[in-house]
Amino acid sequence: MSRIDMGQVAPEAYQAVLGLEKYVRANVDHRTLELVKLRASMLNGCSFCVDMHSRDALDAGESSRRLFAVAAWREAPFFDERERTALALTDAVTRLGEHGVPDEVWDAAAKLWSEKELADLVMAIATINVWNRIAVTTQAQPPLEV
């Protein structure tokens, strides 16, 4: 059971995050977006979001092999170069250490993504991290049955 329902207690804030979500859904390739959401959710230990985004990706036709491989994406042969740079950027932004996003991660992504695509990708990573933090903090649980 969730500690608090953010949508009811702070509806304006919740709607603002939903606005970010709508933006990234409209501006980031759906397949890449689901990989980014799944990877960040795995790193953040958000079971609610891992469940939701893996189901969403499967419903959209993503393969289970690729979804399982997101946990070990660096070693998996299933991702193209753009997806790899998106996943590397997701790792760096989500784990945002003392020195920020390493230049080599940023530069690799900037070679394959236009400036606008990169901006939208950063917004997507930031948005899923907000959702993860809300769900983990409130102890949101995935449904037992879907």
Side-chain angles (χ1 to χ4, degrees):
M1 175 166 232
S2 182
R3 290 177 170 168
I4 190 172
D5 183 336
M6 296 293 281
Q8 287 188 5
V9 177
E12 295 88 2
Y14 193 82
Q15 288 301 312
V17 180
L18 275 177
L20 287 171
E21 181 66 31
K22 288 177 186 173
Y23 177 86
V24 298
R25 284 184 188 180
N27 289 282
V28 177
D29 168 71
H30 181 73
R31 193 170 188 188
T32 302
L33 181 59
E34 289 303 332
L35 295 176
V36 164
K37 288 179 176 184
L38 182 58
R39 179 63 182 169
S41 298
M42 287 175 171
L43 294 174
N44 288 322
C46 183
S47 66
F48 181 87
C49 294
V50 167
D51 175 71
M52 176 173 42
H53 297 301
S54 59
R55 285 187 292 111
D56 288 349
L58 286 169
D59 289 347
E62 184 61 83
S63 77
S64 58
R65 289 184 78 197
R66 279 175 40 99
L67 292 181
F68 297 144
V70 168
W73 69 267
R74 290 180 194 279
E75 292 78 25
F78 310 122
F79 306 104
D80 67 27
E81 196 173 6
R82 277 175 57 97
E83 291 168 333
R84 288 182 177 287
T85 61
L87 290 165
L89 190 59
T90 300
D91 284 7
V93 172
T94 301
R95 292 179 171 149
L96 202 58
E98 180 180 344
H99 303 290
V101 174
D103 288 340
E104 61 270 11
V105 171
W106 181 264
D107 293 345
K111 286 180 185 175
L112 298 174
W113 298 80
S114 73
E115 197 168 71
K116 173 72 163 82
E117 290 173 321
L118 198 50
D120 291 341
L121 185 57
V122 170
M123 290 305 296
I125 297 165
T127 301
I128 189 56
N129 273 281
V130 169
W131 286 125
N132 289 164
R133 279 150 179 76
I134 291 168
V136 170
T137 301
T138 63
Q139 296 182 345
Q141 297 296 307
L144 293 176
E145 295 183 31
V146 288

